[in-house]
Amino acid sequence: MAVTVSIPTILRTHTGGEKSVSATGTTLAEIIDDLENNHGGLKARLVKEGALHRFVNVYVNDEDVRFAGGLTAPVKDGDNVTILPAVAGG
Amino acid sequence: MTLSLDAVSVAGPVDLPLAGEQDVQAACGIMHVHGRRFGRPTPLGLDYASIVAAELAELGAHALTFAQARGIPLHAVSTSLAQAALLAVAQYLAAATADDPAEPHSPGGPPFHSAEGVAFEIEALDPSVWQRFWATFGADDQAVSQGWRPFLHRFATATCPLPSLPEVLAAHPMAWITEVAHRTGMTLVRVSDQPVCHGPAFVLSGASGDQRRGCPAELLPLSGLVVLESCRRVQGPLAGHLLRLLGATVLRIEPPGGDPSRWVPPMAGDTSARFRALNWGKDVVEIDLSTPGGRQEALDLATSADVFLHNWAPGKAEQWSLRPADLARVRPGIVYAHASGWGAELGANPPLGTDFVVQAYSGVPPSLMTIVDVFGGVVCAHGIVTALTRGATRVDSSLLSAAGRLNSWQRRRCAEPLTVPVCDDLTALAADPRFARALIQDDCVLVSSPWEFTS
């Protein structure tokens, strides 16, 4: 299961400057583990104490994964995973 | 209060024949941004550019007094409705001229209405609260999930399309909706039809003694002064930004790794365009204020600062022992400014104090443009400069006090016919040479200082 992951500027130091990378897995957790294997350091920026970090939003095809099981959210071949910083309020 | 615009021109540095408020709202992008939620340019329900310009003019006058007391040879200050309007749309302008393609802006947005027709605002900064609230009403999972992003981003986009969700609430009585909000942690505030306008825009207290600073080499009112700022989002950073435009050096305390707002798209170079609009030109130091060592570092920096500005949540200053007395101990005479959501008005545990909730509570004519945040920043900076001028050491202002100030101006809604075309594209505005003197072309388009000081 290969998906495309969009990497925000702040995390591109982990991907050699790449804006998007591919990863494989059937859940978001597996995708993040695969990212970590190829781009060390990413996981610690996304996951804290077994859950998505508070300041990170992850979307699978524009849907916030927090509404789809968080790290257990399923992903399928060809999905687009977008990582964005989470900042709310004005 | 009525508007006194003698010291304020309409067009300022904008090379357009702007006749008044309506023209300014049309030409400078306010109608465009406010109208996104309606799908067409729409005037605000108040003379916002005139009100902001009047506040900027008062602020500028205080800054001039302060400059003269310091021996800085400045003799006049001017501002304009157009500069006030551009300040208000600065974040949207920066976002529209960023590197990434602009997001489409589908119309739509709160306030919501109950079955009885009661209008109200809701607010959540946590998706689990959003999910629990809607799940209780049996809302469609997909609509709930897809609604979160536009809801979260409405501060940046000025629109909030939420297909099917308003209809869900419209089927329920207000008492039940209020009960569900309470149970699920959702902030809910009824839209007031009585404008709140008691209380001053800011409160000054304390006395600095004779602390007038000497005359610096540069020629702006606050040149040579240092502002230490620990602020997030809009109101606080904008206050610091205005102080910088008045000449101060602003040092921002950000958490380790930087303020998360720095990385929010759309990006301009390596920084969020909206973040740049509020924070360009500031110096930054990364400090973890949740640790004793970090707090000591902040106090060390305060020893050479003239102003300490924060917009922390209620109780944070006490928890961190960074109260006015703590700062005054290391730096006697320092101006301690707190730009909060609600001030002390709603007690120690107020609802979430964001722009749209405060709009609803205070009865400001509603907009998904961040009109209270921006005005709150202006009011806070006004309070700080007034404190410097009068030798006060403490400034308390809030979104609520700013909303009260907005409401205190007469609601006269100019209805004169437009004499200029309505801007419906901020990218075109940014590239229009007639705006060139009011804008700065950088990685994205930034708005110049709203004041001109002359010696």
Side-chain angles (χ1 to χ4, degrees), chain B residues 156-437:
Chain B
T157 60
T159 187
C160 183
L162 297 172
S164 85
L165 294 180
E167 291 77 11
V168 169
L169 293 180
H172 294 275
M174 195 61 204
W176 172 238
I177 297 169
T178 307
E179 164 78 22
V180 172
H182 181 70
R183 275 196 221 161
T184 56
M186 178 68 88
T187 293
L188 183 150
V189 171
R190 291 187 187 208
V191 175
S192 168
D193 53 9
Q194 291 297 319
V196 172
C197 61
H198 54 84
F202 51 81
V203 177
L204 306 185
S205 52
S208 66
D210 188 15
Q211 303 274 338
R212 284 291 75 84
R213 288 87 185 171
C215 177
E218 303 89 346
L219 287 179
L220 280 171
L222 305 191
S223 294
L225 265 62
V226 175
V227 176
L228 185 61
E229 160 188 310
S230 175
C231 292
R232 290 180 55 188
R233 304 188 178 117
V234 178
Q235 178 185 222
L238 179 61
H241 177 62
L242 291 170
L243 299 176
R244 191 188 69 72
L245 295 175
L246 288 169
T249 298
V250 180
L251 179 57
R252 261 179 77 73
I253 297 175
E254 296 191 12
D259 186 333
S261 303
R262 287 179 172 277
W263 326 114
V264 176
M267 304 294 283
D270 59 2
T271 309
S272 165
R274 291 182 67 231
F275 183 89
R276 283 183 65 92
L278 296 167
N279 295 293
W280 57 281
K282 294 178 186 174
D283 298 326
V284 181
V285 56
E286 292 184 9
I287 295 178
D288 186 353
L289 290 174
S290 69
T291 66
R295 296 194 285 273
Q296 186 56 50
E297 213 178 321
L299 287 171
D300 291 345
L301 289 170
T303 60
S304 53
D306 301 279
V307 175
F308 181 70
L309 163 64
H310 75 79
N311 65 351
W312 301 331
K316 220 47 169 174
E318 290 74 20
Q319 184 193 330
W320 285 344
S321 292
L322 292 173
R323 298 156 293 195
D326 300 305
L327 274 290
R329 200 170 300 123
V330 298
R331 173 67 163 170
I334 193 168
V335 174
Y336 186 104
H338 183 200
S340 65
W342 300 101
E345 176 127 344
L346 300 188
N349 291 300
L352 287 175
T354 61
D355 194 317
F356 310 126
V357 180
V358 174
Q359 282 185 33
Y361 179 88
S362 63
V364 167
S367 178
L368 283 181
M369 220 181 114
T370 54
I371 54 172
V372 176
D373 266 331
V374 167
F375 196 61
V378 177
V379 161
C380 177
H382 187 181
I384 291 168
V385 174
T386 310
L388 287 167
T389 312
R390 296 186 184 162
T393 54
R394 179 140 180 209
V395 182
D396 287 288
S397 69
S398 65
L399 292 177
L400 182 59
S401 74
R405 176 83 157 182
L406 276 179
N407 283 333
S408 72
W409 295 102
Q410 227 172 45
R411 293 269 177 86
R412 50 163 202 175
R413 272 299 292 282
C414 293
E416 76 259 28
L418 291 179
T419 65
V420 290
V422 180
C423 163
D424 60 0
D425 178 0
L426 293 180
T427 319
L429 187 164
D432 188 334
R434 293 170 297 183
F435 283 88
R437 285 198 297 139

Side-chain angles (χ1 to χ4, degrees), chain A residues 9-10 63-64 66 85 88 90, chain B residues 127 145 148 155 233 263 267 373:
Chain A
T9 317
I10 185 176
E63 184 163 348
D64 191 320
R66 285 191 169 88
Chain B
S145 165
W148 174 244
F155 291 93
R233 304 188 178 117
W263 326 114
M267 304 294 283
D373 266 331

